[in-house]
């Protein structure tokens, strides 16, 4: 006959890891959802949910089998690293889980790509792999911190602080502040976490009281008339929710980012701007305009003024390649354009530029500059992108002189160019593998009879400027294909309505698909001639109506060559016509208008705002970095008291366990715990006086079953012997 179970009729003790972990997961899932306005689709949310769920459930399982509390953070980061290696390591890790040197290199590439995309993408952004890696790793780190606070250190109230990170970020970026619904749901999830923690720990104390005087305890409150603790939690939570909603409405978004400064965009995340191609279109649709700059030049034709180059695909979207400034790129002595041979006719020109309203870290210059004088600040020349940028200055208020080469290649020289390109040029052939089939099909059909890359490029330009296509800034938005990604190009080639962004991107993508290196330039059209005439030079005024993008194609022996596929905008280059005759502004080529009347452009806005997306205005970036630092400092300061208190408690517990003489440390912990629970401890009273007052408190006057009735007195005696007794 079996012996009766000593624990019969007794429920199995509740372990806090699982219910509290479930509440943490709920809080994380809801908080991560607040990032919805910043990202396209839902893939990113499922990824963050998977990573954070793996970390929290893994830690709960390890705690269930006896993992030491002090090792929980290390184990959490180990689980996170293994999960990220599995998802993003591409099979380079040992057993797919342990990162190798190749995995670390892969992570570095993805992180650089993600940061580059964050700097340039708009909202909602395309969650490219680099961004997904950063989001997944961030979710995992937040999960580890929340587990540390809520379960290891047993301060669940502080576990809500890491969850505020994904909730607060959208409020700093998008217009209108944080989403009120996301704030409300996060607050509810936080209250659920607190309630679950209290109930679980109270049930554990009641059903299976821990042994020892140092074990953490939750003592049930004394029942009294009036509102109970649940009502108190609801009142406090309601106050918090209402306060957060008011704060989200009244706190302005961090300014910055974007061609259009009227948009509010943050620089903490997706902040140095939004996708330049998308914002250029948004700016062109604005009805107002204001001066950007003016210049005088002795060039034979007024030049395009280039700002930046988009030559890299991040996912399916055109991006500017972000590279560190080259201290050797002296703007006082700029090298000849990449690939230019002495056989191409050139003429030196001088252009005097005065910035009226443009605030950008990229300098508008004619192609191809040889020397720039008169600049204030540190400016560097990037040979690979043919642009000039600064790391600590902006263009506002600048007056400078650009000495440039006016190139005059002939059709014969371009037709004779070969197809062998250096490695630095071949990278401009890369295309996303999942591009729409219509791109390659159209490029093949249009250039099927071309005898050289040059003839193919001219065929693409003529096709896009043909009668089938029309210039329209509104149709892409109405039909949902705005921007310059390859998926947008596919839709544009079917609809055949768009503006310069779509024409430039379509020609560049189709050129790459047939083996011609191509990229996109963003800058200004030549502007309009004024009546002012000084020293034999006309003055040209450039405003926000002149924002423009155009493709540049590479030909050996000549270098990068600009094309103009947008009907109704810009100037058709002379070298793309058999007559080699430059079409004047407002002229006609083969029945197509070269430049539409200026009032036909529906868009424009303040250029000081207009280029901040593509240019990451230094002032706004600095303000956002300062705000981010302040928020981080506030978060650290809020966590310091609880962290210091938890650390002190752990140190005392180790000293108590170390051997005899721990009574003093134990009493110090009792004193601090009393203070934590709102008990006034006077500096002048003795331990015996404090013990007498503590014995009168509910829960200590009648200890729960299983606790020694004289536990507090025994601890007091041990502390007094330690402090006042003879040594030994």
């Amino acid at each position: 006959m079996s012996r009766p179970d000593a624990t019969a009729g007794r429920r199995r003790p509740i372990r806090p890891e699982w219910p509290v972990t479930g509440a943490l997961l709920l809080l994380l899932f809801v908080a991560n959802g607040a990032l919805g306005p910043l990202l396209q689709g839902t893939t990113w949310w499922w990824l963050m949910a998977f990573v954070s769920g793996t970390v929290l459930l893994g830690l709960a399982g390890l705690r269930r089998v006896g993992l030491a509390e002090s090792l929980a953070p290390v184990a959490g980061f180990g689980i996170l690293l293994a999960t990220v290696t599995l998802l993003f390591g591409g099979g380079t890790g040992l057993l797919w889980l342990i990162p190798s040197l190749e995995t670390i290199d892969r992570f570095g590439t993805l992180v650089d790509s993600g940061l580059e995309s964050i700097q340039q993408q708009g909202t909602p952004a395309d969650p490219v792999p680099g961004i997904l890696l950063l989001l997944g790793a961030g979710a995992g780190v937040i999960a580890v911190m929340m587990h540390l606070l809520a379960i290891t250190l047993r301060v669940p109230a502080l576990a809500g602080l890491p969850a505020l990170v994904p909730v607060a970020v959208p409020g700093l970026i998008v217009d209108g502040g944080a989403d009120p619904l996301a704030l409300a749901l996060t607050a509810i999830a936080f209250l659920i976490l607190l309630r679950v923690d209290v109930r679980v720990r109270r049930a554990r104390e009641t059903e299976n009281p821990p042994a020892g005087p140092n074990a953490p305890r939750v003592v049930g409150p004394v029942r009294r008339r009036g509102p109970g603790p649940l009502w108190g939690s609801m009142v406090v939570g309601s106050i918090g929710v209402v306060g957060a909603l008011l704060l989200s409405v009244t706190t302005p978004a961090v300014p910055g980012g974007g061609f259009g400064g009227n948009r509010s965009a943050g620089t903490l995340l997706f902040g140095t701007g939004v996708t330049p191609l998308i914002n250029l279109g948004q700016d062109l649709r604005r009805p107002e305009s204001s001066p950007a700059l003016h210049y005088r030049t002795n060039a034979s034709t007024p030049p395009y003024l280039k700002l930046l180059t988009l030559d890299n695909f991040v996912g399916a979207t055109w991006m500017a390649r972000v590279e560190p400034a080259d201290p050797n790129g002296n703007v006082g002595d700029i090298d000849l354009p990449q690939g230019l041979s002495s056989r191409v006719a050139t003429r030196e020109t001088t252009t005097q530029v005065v910035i009226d309203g443009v605030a950008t870290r990229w300098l508008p210059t004619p192609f191809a500059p040889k020397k720039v004088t008169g600049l204030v600040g540190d400016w560097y020349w990037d040979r690979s992108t043919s642009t000039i940028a600064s790391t600590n200055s902006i263009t506002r208020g600048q007056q400078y002189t650009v000495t440039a080469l006016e190139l005059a290649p002939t059709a014969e020289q371009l037709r004779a160019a070969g197809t062998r390109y250096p490695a630095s040029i071949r990278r401009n052939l890369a295309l996303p593998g999942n591009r729409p089939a219509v791109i390659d099909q159209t490029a093949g059909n249009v250039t099927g009879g071309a005898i050289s890359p040059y003839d193919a490029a001219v065929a693409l330009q003529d096709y896009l400027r043909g009668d089938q296509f029309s210039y329209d800034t509104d149709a892409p938005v109405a039909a949902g294909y705005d921007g310059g990604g390859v998926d947008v190009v596919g839709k544009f080639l079917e609809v055949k309505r768009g503006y310069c962004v779509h024409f430039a991107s379509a020609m560049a993508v189709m050129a790459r698909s047939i083996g011609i290196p191509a990229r996109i330039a963003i800058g200004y059209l030549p502007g309009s001639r004024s009546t002012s005439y000084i020293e034999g030079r006309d003055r040209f005024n450039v405003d926000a109506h002149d924002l423009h993008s155009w493709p540049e194609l590479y030909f050996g022996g000549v270098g990068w060559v600009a094309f103009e596929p947008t009907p109704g905008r810009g100037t058709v280059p002379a070298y793309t016509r058999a007559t080699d005759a430059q079409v004047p502004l407002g002229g006609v080529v083969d029945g197509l208008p070269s430049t539409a009347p200026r009032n036909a452009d529906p868009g424009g806005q303040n250029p000081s705002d207009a280029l901040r997306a593509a240019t990451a205005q230094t002032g706004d970036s600095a303000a956002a970095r300062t705000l981010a630092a302040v928020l981080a400092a506030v978060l650290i300061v809020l966590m310091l008291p609880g962290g210091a208190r938890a650390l002190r408690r752990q140190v005392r517990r180790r000293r108590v366990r170390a051997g005899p003489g721990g009574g003093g440390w134990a009493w110090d912990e009792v004193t601090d715990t009393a203070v934590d629970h709102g008990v006034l401890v006077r500096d002048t009273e003795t331990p015996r006086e404090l013990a007498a007052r503590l014995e009168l408190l509910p829960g200590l006057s009648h200890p729960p079953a299983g606790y020694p009735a004289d536990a507090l007195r025994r601890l007091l005696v041990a502390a007094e012997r330690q402090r006042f007794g003879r040594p030994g």
Side-chain angles (χ1 to χ4, degrees):
M1 182 174 178
S2 60
R3 297 177 58 187
D5 189 355
T7 62
R10 189 176 177 185
R11 288 183 298 173
R12 187 176 180 180
I14 299 177
R15 297 192 61 86
E17 288 80 5
W18 298 110
V20 175
T21 297
L24 290 175
L25 280 175
L26 175 63
L27 177 58
L28 257 180
F29 292 166
V30 174
N32 291 339
L35 295 174
L38 304 181
L39 298 159
Q40 298 177 10
T42 59
T43 304
W44 57 271
W45 186 89
W46 290 106
L47 171 74
M48 297 178 73
F50 176 79
V51 174
S52 55
T54 301
V55 170
L56 287 176
L57 294 177
L59 283 173
L62 291 176
R63 285 290 303 273
R64 184 69 177 86
V65 298
L67 177 71
E69 292 182 352
S70 58
L71 297 179
V74 178
F77 284 113
I79 295 173
L80 173 60
L81 184 59
T83 305
V84 172
T85 302
L86 175 65
L87 296 176
F88 297 96
T92 59
L94 303 178
L95 301 177
W96 294 78
L97 298 175
I98 304 174
S100 62
L101 294 178
E102 185 179 356
T103 307
I104 296 175
D105 292 338
R106 180 178 175 86
F107 285 170
T109 302
L110 286 174
V111 168
D112 292 340
S113 173
L115 294 176
E116 176 182 337
S117 183
I118 287 173
Q119 287 182 326
Q120 299 181 44
Q121 281 212 68
T123 54
D126 180 16
V128 298
I131 292 180
L132 291 177
L133 171 61
L134 294 173
L135 290 174
V141 171
I142 292 176
V144 174
M145 295 300 298
M146 292 176 68
H147 183 277
L148 173 66
L149 293 169
I151 297 180
T152 303
L153 300 181
R154 294 170 183 162
V155 281
L158 295 181
L161 292 177
L164 286 178
V165 175
V167 176
V169 167
L172 300 174
I173 296 177
V174 299
D175 293 329
D179 183 10
L181 179 60
L183 286 172
L185 293 178
T186 304
I188 293 172
F190 178 63
L191 293 177
I192 292 175
L193 168 64
L194 297 182
R195 189 62 179 170
V196 168
D197 178 77
V198 170
R199 289 183 64 87
V200 168
R201 293 171 65 181
R202 184 177 298 163
R204 189 181 181 191
E205 289 284 329
T206 303
E207 297 174 359
N208 189 22
N214 294 317
R217 305 164 185 244
V218 176
V219 180
V222 175
R223 295 294 180 183
R224 63 182 183 276
R225 295 181 179 180
L230 178 59
W231 282 101
S233 299
M234 294 178 62
V235 171
V236 173
S238 300
I239 294 175
V241 171
V242 172
L245 293 176
L246 293 176
L247 185 64
S248 70
V249 173
T250 58
T251 302
V254 179
F259 277 81
N262 293 333
R263 294 181 298 275
S264 295
T267 52
L268 181 63
L269 183 64
F270 303 103
T272 54
V274 287
T275 308
L277 293 179
I278 293 179
N279 280 294
L280 191 152
Q282 293 174 343
D283 296 332
L284 289 177
R285 286 184 289 273
R286 295 179 182 271
E288 72 277 3
S289 180
S290 58
L293 57 89
H294 64 271
Y295 67 92
R296 300 179 187 274
T297 183
N298 63 356
S300 58
T301 57
Y304 282 45
L305 300 174
K306 182 178 178 179
L307 281 161
L308 72 157
T309 300
L310 307 182
D311 60 351
N312 184 35
F313 273 102
V314 177
T317 306
W318 285 101
M319 292 290 169
R321 196 179 301 273
V322 179
E323 295 180 349
D326 182 7
N328 298 321
N330 182 10
V331 296
D333 184 16
I334 299 174
D335 296 336
L336 289 174
Q338 192 174 13
L340 178 65
S341 70
S342 58
R343 296 190 300 273
V344 178
T346 61
R347 175 176 174 267
E348 190 171 287
T349 65
T350 303
T351 303
Q352 298 169 330
V353 182
V354 178
I355 301 296
D356 296 319
V358 181
T360 166
R361 73 179 186 93
W362 276 278
L363 192 72
T365 60
F367 188 86
K370 287 182 58 180
K371 179 176 64 175
V372 182
T373 58
L375 288 172
V376 177
D378 298 324
W379 296 83
Y380 302 96
W381 164 253
D382 188 336
R383 175 179 172 83
S384 63
T385 60
S386 307
T387 57
I388 297 175
S390 175
T391 57
N392 58 6
S393 301
I394 58 175
T395 56
R396 181 183 289 121
Q398 297 278 358
Q399 300 184 29
Y400 53 95
T401 300
V402 183
T403 302
L405 288 180
E406 190 177 49
L407 308 184
T410 64
E412 289 72 20
Q413 290 172 330
L414 292 168
R415 187 173 287 114
T419 57
R420 299 183 62 181
Y421 309 112
S424 60
I425 299 299
R426 287 198 301 271
R427 70 183 186 181
N428 293 279
L429 289 170
L431 279 173
N434 57 344
R435 60 186 180 274
V438 66
I439 296 176
D440 296 67
Q441 294 172 358
T442 303
N445 294 336
V446 172
T447 64
I451 61 175
S452 69
Y454 162 75
D455 292 290
V458 173
L460 291 175
Q461 176 181 267
D462 292 344
Y463 170 70
L464 292 170
R465 293 183 67 88
D467 295 335
Q468 300 181 52
F469 290 84
S470 59
Y471 185 90
D472 191 331
T473 59
D474 296 321
V477 178
Y481 62 93
D482 197 16
V486 291
D487 52 340
V488 172
V489 171
K491 183 68 174 179
F492 165 71
L493 291 176
E494 296 174 354
V495 179
K496 295 181 172 57
R497 297 179 67 86
Y499 51 94
C500 59
V501 164
H502 304 91
F503 287 94
S505 182
M507 182 167 178
V509 170
M510 288 194 292
R512 286 192 177 192
S513 71
I514 60 175
I516 305 176
R519 62 191 188 185
I520 297 176
I522 293 182
Y524 286 104
L525 291 170
S528 59
R529 182 182 280 108
S530 72
T531 57
S532 175
Y533 191 81
I534 301 176
E535 297 180 356
R537 298 183 182 182
D538 289 326
R539 167 171 165 160
F540 290 86
N541 298 320
V542 178
D543 59 30
H545 285 286
D546 296 307
L547 279 170
H548 191 53
S549 64
W550 62 92
E552 293 179 339
L553 278 60
Y554 185 87
F555 297 91
V558 180
W560 289 103
V561 176
F563 286 79
E564 185 51 87
T566 305
R569 298 278 283 176
T571 303
V572 177
Y575 44 77
T576 64
R577 297 300 167 189
T579 59
D580 280 0
Q582 184 78 15
V583 179
L585 290 172
V588 175
V589 176
D590 293 347
L592 294 175
S594 172
T595 303
R598 293 189 56 77
N599 58 9
D601 295 335
Q605 92 298 337
N606 189 338
S608 65
D609 301 329
L611 288 164
R612 282 184 292 184
T615 61
Q617 186 184 35
T618 303
D620 291 339
S621 298
R625 286 193 296 268
T626 302
L627 178 60
V630 170
L631 291 176
V634 170
L635 180 62
I636 293 174
V637 170
L638 290 175
M639 295 180 64
L640 280 177
R645 177 69 181 91
L647 179 62
R648 177 181 295 180
R649 175 182 174 86
Q650 295 297 328
V651 170
R652 287 171 175 167
R653 294 184 67 176
R654 285 197 299 269
R655 290 177 175 175
V656 169
R657 296 192 189 103
W665 296 110
W667 184 258
D668 289 341
E669 180 60 30
V670 168
T671 303
D672 287 350
T673 302
V675 174
D676 293 340
H677 286 79
V679 177
L680 177 62
V681 178
R682 303 180 183 87
D683 295 335
T684 57
E685 67 181 341
T686 65
R688 187 167 291 274
E689 291 173 335
L690 176 60
R693 290 200 298 115
L694 293 179
E695 287 179 334
L696 300 177
L697 295 177
L700 292 180
S701 57
H702 301 286
Y707 284 84
D710 60 343
L712 184 61
R713 285 286 172 176
R714 290 165 55 189
L715 178 59
L716 172 64
V717 171
E720 289 178 335
R721 287 177 177 173
Q722 169 68 20
R723 293 181 177 181
F724 308 119
R726 290 185 299 176

